[in-house]
Amino acid sequence: MSRFSQYTPRPLEIVDTTLREGQQTSLLHDHHKYFFTRADKEEILRALIICGVKFVELFAPVVSPQERDDFAALKAVRDALITQKGYTFLLAHVRCHPRDVESAIGAGADGLNFYLGTSEQSRAFNHGRDLDAIVAHARPLLEEVRRHHPGLILRFSGEDAFRTREADLFRVYDALAPLVDRLGLPDTVGVATPADVAARVRALRARYPAMEFEGHFHEDRGFALVNALEARRGGVRYLNTTVLGIGERSGITSFTALLFNLFLEREYDALEGYHLRGLYPLNVLVADKLKMLVPPREPVSLTNRTHTAGVHQSAVLNGASAYEAHPLDQFGVTASEILLGPLSGWNIIHYFLKEIRYYQLDEGQARAIAAAFKERVYQLAPDVPPEAVLIGLAEEFGLARLALPETRSRIVQRLDSPTTAARSGIPLDGRRHAA
């Protein structure tokens, strides 16, 4: 009996493809890195498993000797965590080609994610087959795998499904559905709207009521997240994600953003088995591999609790909920940050000098220093932080400073790397955090 046959799927199963789709991001090229190293992959896989992911997609080992060897190393990482976190299924992304299949089975993959383009564009410019030839090419291979390896998880995706006419997709899926565990629903080039997703999911579920589906949504129109949420509402159990949403072109659905939004929509059943507090450290980990901060549009980030406008800063000092509506602490973001700059008002300058730097000053002095600060801050050299200007002004104004006894620094155990903090600010808990 296979492990998958003994596994009870949760209401939502993330099929994370950071180590396949994510490696196709152009961000890796920005610093001439080009690929995740084996150590990178091992860290990312370990973090995904700890966060509760049970399905992870990898390249087929046939892609390169490096991917072949990395597949074996990642299996070892997975196996070392079975006792602690249970079994995680490693799936190989394969063409409908015997070499791809043989390499994945030989490497010990738990499943094969087959794909073949079904849109007019794919048929014309990719593989050159018509619909009947697609079926004739894929079906014998799927039959052979199912016959000789009945325990493998099999998925077939009509690549570019949302530019494939519904009748054409049905023609292919009718022939292949009896041979697979899941049918894919890939918006390969990011053309679908939420309405398109809802309609296509309804049509597929009506035609294949006993079938599981797997959604894969690209960000070309900015709809990757909302399309995944729409698919989930329509009953799609399996959804592809990557950490930070990285991938080909503009990427796909962000793993942490998806879980964050399901939490806010009170879809708590979908969060079964996922370790939410590990999500921000996971974002920081992958951002560090890309030599960047967590992107500002990623909701599970310190950026989502960072304030620069004076009105916002003043209100947050009185009550963070004034401009922080979401419980990001439950996702591992345990601090807020205020950035000093030309938009900062006297309130935050008073707070910084008195509470952080221990100068003695009143409101009038804070207002006067704020006025001087706003004149000078626009002339700052890139290597001079705004805090240095304020401290200089405090000395110019002759402010007295409390003399505090020396104490040992507090030791803080962290899951994310402190080396990624690259900007100056005032964390409201007194610590620096990566964005």
Side-chain angles (χ1 to χ4, degrees):
M1 185 177 292
S2 70
R3 285 185 180 272
F4 185 62
S5 66
Q6 300 176 64
Y7 179 73
T8 301
R10 297 171 292 183
L12 170 66
E13 291 292 357
I14 295 295
V15 181
D16 191 86
T17 183
T18 303
L19 299 179
R20 196 280 298 173
E21 175 78 47
Q23 280 204 101
Q24 296 172 213
T25 178
S26 61
L27 295 171
L28 280 167
H29 294 245
D30 288 349
H31 300 281
H32 310 290
K33 185 171 181 176
Y34 307 117
F35 58 89
F36 288 129
T37 66
R38 183 175 302 168
D40 291 340
K41 293 177 183 178
E42 289 173 341
E43 286 186 73
I44 293 169
L45 177 62
R46 190 175 294 111
L48 286 169
I49 292 173
I50 289 172
C51 284
V53 174
K54 293 296 183 184
F55 298 86
V56 174
E57 185 179 65
L58 308 173
F59 281 116
V62 75
V63 166
S64 70
Q66 182 71 45
E67 292 298 333
R68 178 197 63 208
D69 295 343
D70 288 352
F71 203 109
L74 293 172
K75 275 187 64 186
V77 170
R78 183 273 310 276
D79 292 346
L81 288 168
I82 290 174
T83 301
Q84 177 188 357
K85 300 299 293 184
Y87 197 80
T88 300
F89 299 93
L90 301 182
L91 313 173
H93 187 251
V94 297
R95 298 169 298 175
C96 293
H97 194 292
R99 286 178 56 242
D100 287 31
V101 172
E102 290 165 8
S103 73
I105 293 174
D110 297 293
L112 305 177
N113 284 354
F114 288 93
Y115 68 98
L116 190 59
T118 51
S119 68
E120 290 183 7
Q121 293 84 351
S122 288
R123 301 195 316 257
F125 305 119
N126 194 338
H127 52 72
R129 296 181 178 90
D130 62 22
L131 295 174
D132 290 335
I134 289 172
V135 172
H137 179 71
R139 186 176 176 89
L141 185 57
L142 287 167
E143 288 175 334
E144 182 178 355
V145 173
R146 184 56 88 200
R147 182 167 55 251
H148 295 292
H149 304 279
L152 286 178
I153 306 166
L154 301 184
R155 183 215 72 193
F156 180 84
S157 283
E159 190 181 37
D160 202 6
F162 282 90
R163 287 198 297 176
T164 303
R165 291 174 57 249
E166 188 174 281
D168 292 346
L169 195 64
F170 286 166
R171 187 169 167 184
V172 174
Y173 280 7
D174 283 354
L176 303 182
L179 300 170
V180 299
D181 299 287
R182 299 196 287 274
L183 290 172
L185 189 59
D187 183 22
T188 307
V189 293
V191 299
T193 66
D196 296 332
V197 172
R200 184 56 59 90
V201 169
R202 279 196 304 270
L204 286 168
R205 284 175 58 82
R207 193 171 186 92
Y208 312 104
M211 179 60 66
E212 293 280 10
F213 297 95
E214 182 176 317
H216 180 98
F217 302 103
H218 274 264
E219 181 70 357
D220 299 68
R221 296 183 65 178
F223 291 158
L225 174 60
V226 292
N227 282 343
L229 291 168
E230 188 63 48
R232 155 74 187 162
R233 280 190 284 270
V236 174
R237 185 194 304 271
Y238 295 85
L239 291 172
N240 289 178
T241 67
T242 60
V243 181
L244 305 179
I246 59 175
E248 187 81 22
R249 304 184 313 280
S250 298
I252 67 168
T253 309
S254 160
F255 170 44
T256 61
L258 178 60
L259 294 192
F260 178 67
N261 277 277
L262 289 170
F263 180 89
L264 295 180
E265 294 187 6
R266 301 188 178 186
E267 295 281 346
Y268 301 130
D269 62 325
L271 304 176
E272 178 186 335
Y274 294 102
H275 174 47
L276 301 185
R277 290 188 186 276
L279 297 185
Y280 176 56
L282 174 62
N283 280 346
V284 172
L285 170 67
V286 174
D288 189 50
K289 303 303 181 190
L290 297 169
K291 301 183 184 301
M292 59 185 283
L293 296 175
V294 176
R297 290 182 64 83
E298 171 59 55
V300 181
S301 66
L302 181 57
T303 302
N304 217 359
R305 276 190 169 178
T306 297
H307 310 281
T308 62
V311 172
H312 291 226
Q313 292 174 343
S314 176
V316 166
L317 288 180
N318 295 321
S321 63
Y323 287 102
E324 295 176 4
H326 306 303
L328 279 167
D329 54 304
Q330 297 194 43
F331 295 82
V333 184
T334 57
S336 295
E337 187 175 48
I338 287 176
L339 299 182
L340 294 169
L343 301 180
S344 298
W346 74 266
N347 308 77
I348 194 60
I349 288 172
H350 182 274
Y351 176 87
F352 171 73
L353 291 174
K354 184 173 183 179
E355 302 297 335
I356 305 297
R357 296 298 181 177
Y358 306 113
Y359 287 99
Q360 297 301 293
L361 74 165
D362 57 26
E363 178 181 330
Q365 292 170 311
R367 288 182 179 275
I369 290 174
F373 174 72
K374 286 178 179 289
E375 290 181 2
R376 297 188 189 182
V377 73
Y378 287 101
Q379 312 303 321
L380 280 183
D383 58 343
V384 178
E387 290 92 329
V389 176
L390 281 176
I391 291 170
L393 286 168
E395 297 297 329
E396 288 180 27
F397 275 72
L399 298 184
R401 190 178 184 187
L402 288 177
L404 299 178
E406 291 188 7
T407 59
R408 291 187 178 183
S409 297
R410 185 170 53 142
I411 296 175
V412 180
Q413 183 175 344
R414 305 179 55 77
L415 291 175
D416 51 330
S417 169
T419 61
T420 56
R423 65 188 185 190
S424 177
I426 308 172
L428 295 187
D429 68 351
R431 291 181 283 157
R432 289 195 183 280
H433 292 251

